[in-house]
Amino acid sequence: MAEAPRQDASTRPTEAPGPNEMRDPVVREELKRAGVWIALIVAVVAAYFLSQPLLLIFGGVVLATMLDGGVRLLGRRLKIARGWRLGIVVVGVVAFLVWTMIYAGSQIASQAEGLRVIVTAQVQHLLTLAHANGLIGADSANEVGKQVFGSLGRVTSFVGSALGALTSAVMMLVIGVFLAIEPGSYERGLAWMFPVARRASLYDTLGHMGYSLRRLMLGRLIGMAVEGVSTWLLLWAGGVPMAALLGLLTGLLAFLPNIGSIISGTLIVLVGLSAGGNLWLYAFAVYLGVQLLDGWLIVPTVARKSVDLAPALVLAAQLLFGAAFGFLGLLFADPLLAMVKVALEARSGLDPKAEGKRAEL
């Protein structure tokens, strides 16, 4: 049997490199692209399943920014080392929290249960009136009542169940203190994971983020203080029950733009209804006046020096983050959105500081 003629090497067709030919630059480039996409998918999945600890870490970053802002403010008056100024700020924050728990905790905790009972009774009364006038059916009234009672129960029990969230708060505070002690070392550690040519741009972007976040949180704290104290004093002067608790809840819920004001206004009006007469009109007027003061004076003033976020965009982010990540997602939706905006502006070559200065002119 005759053998087939052997093909000469010079006449064989050129063969493409196989997937195991790692020396070929084309294969290496394709594997690099595939690895980037696979790593991105894994990172997104891991971020979703690790959302709670990641949000706690981000909460620590937010607290570190707030502490750093206090240190910078003290630095304008006290020419002492940064560590001493940070110690003064931390001691002041801890002292305020301890004072609140010792002197106001017992009174607020006792009022929280009464607030839940009042709100439940008033909501049930409104649902009964709506059913009697043919606005909703009996089944719809029961279903709406269950949903409202569950939501209001979670809101009004926040203060009473604060000990349950104490561990998370302490973790965020510890992370924030460590970050605020020496923020430069953590920035250098983050920059180490980037190419050397990109590190200068990264430092500049981180500086813009810190600049915007400090002013955003400063405005948020001012708004919380004004809304909480004003609501408490005005409700107390008008004889509205549970003025201290309503003031505290209004101040705390002011950290959540849009959604927080709606919840606090609903609670204030319902408590006013429970007092009888036209006191609910006074309670509503107090709520409206405080919101107008915060919305027309405080927020615009601070917004010129911080990140300019559209209200509809903030509300959409709160709904999406709240549905995906729960209460922490709702709590930090605004700062997260602000940081994404600053990062995109830096990516596109815009300077947030320069934009803010031009807006003031």
Side-chain angles (χ1 to χ4, degrees):
M1 186 176 180
E3 295 183 358
R6 301 183 65 180
Q7 194 174 21
D8 186 68
S10 60
T11 61
R12 293 175 185 172
T14 303
E15 297 184 0
N20 60 345
E21 190 67 34
M22 299 298 297
R23 293 174 296 176
D24 186 78
V26 177
V27 174
R28 289 202 302 268
E29 184 66 24
E30 292 300 324
L31 287 177
K32 185 186 298 184
R33 292 179 180 178
V36 170
W37 282 107
I38 293 174
L40 180 61
I41 295 173
V42 172
V44 170
V45 174
Y48 178 78
F49 285 102
L50 298 175
S51 60
Q52 296 302 311
L54 289 176
L55 286 172
L56 287 178
I57 295 173
F58 182 75
V61 174
V62 173
L63 288 177
T65 304
M66 297 168 69
L67 294 175
D68 184 63
V71 170
R72 291 170 181 263
L73 288 176
L74 284 180
R76 297 180 179 180
R77 299 293 181 182
L78 300 177
K79 303 303 180 181
I80 57 178
R82 175 184 172 84
W84 289 105
R85 285 182 277 133
L86 178 61
I88 294 174
V89 173
V90 172
V91 170
V93 172
V94 173
F96 173 76
L97 295 177
V98 171
W99 177 84
T100 302
M101 289 187 293
I102 292 177
Y103 291 97
S106 59
Q107 179 185 3
I108 292 172
S110 62
Q111 290 183 359
E113 179 61 24
L115 177 62
R116 187 190 65 82
V117 174
I118 290 175
V119 170
T120 302
Q122 292 302 318
V123 171
Q124 185 62 51
H125 178 65
L126 293 176
L127 291 176
T128 303
L129 288 177
H131 174 60
N133 291 287
L135 298 177
I136 58 176
D139 296 336
S140 300
N142 293 332
E143 184 65 25
V144 171
K146 290 179 181 178
Q147 295 180 0
V148 171
F149 295 156
S151 300
L152 291 175
R154 288 191 293 269
V155 171
T156 56
S157 63
F158 172 76
V159 177
S161 61
L163 292 178
L166 184 60
T167 302
S168 298
V170 170
M171 290 176 61
M172 288 190 292
L173 181 60
V174 171
I175 293 174
V177 170
F178 279 114
L179 289 175
I181 290 175
E182 195 176 357
S185 62
Y186 296 98
E187 289 184 355
R188 291 190 295 271
L190 179 62
W192 176 79
M193 295 184 291
F194 288 79
V196 176
R198 301 288 303 275
R199 292 180 185 179
S201 175
L202 176 65
Y203 285 131
D204 188 53
T205 302
L206 292 176
H208 290 169
M209 286 183 173
Y211 175 87
S212 301
L213 190 57
R214 283 195 302 272
R215 280 150 181 78
L216 182 66
M217 291 298 101
L218 176 62
R220 193 64 48 79
L221 290 177
I222 294 175
M224 291 171 64
V226 170
E227 289 192 29
V229 174
S230 300
T231 301
W232 166 49
L233 293 177
L234 292 174
L235 293 179
W236 173 77
V240 178
M242 303 178 182
L245 179 60
L246 290 174
L248 178 63
L249 289 176
T250 301
L252 293 176
L253 291 171
F255 193 86
L256 304 174
N258 305 319
I259 295 178
S261 61
I262 296 174
I263 298 174
S264 62
T266 303
L267 295 176
I268 290 172
V269 172
L270 290 177
V271 173
L273 284 171
S274 68
N278 294 326
L279 195 58
W280 71 273
L281 290 174
Y282 175 79
F284 178 73
V286 169
Y287 161 74
L288 189 61
V290 170
Q291 293 301 319
L292 290 178
L293 174 65
D294 184 56
W296 286 2
L297 179 61
I298 298 175
V299 172
T301 301
V302 177
R304 289 198 299 264
K305 297 183 179 181
S306 62
V307 183
D308 187 16
L309 296 175
L313 185 61
V314 175
L315 181 59
Q318 288 175 333
L319 295 176
L320 291 175
F321 279 58
F325 307 117
F327 178 74
L328 288 178
L330 179 64
L331 185 65
F332 297 123
D334 195 21
L336 279 170
L337 183 62
M339 295 301 95
V340 171
K341 183 175 184 293
V342 172
L344 292 177
E345 288 177 342
R347 182 69 177 176
S348 61
L350 297 177
D351 187 352
K353 293 182 181 180
E355 292 293 323
K357 292 178 181 178
R358 284 195 293 267
E360 291 181 356
L361 297 178

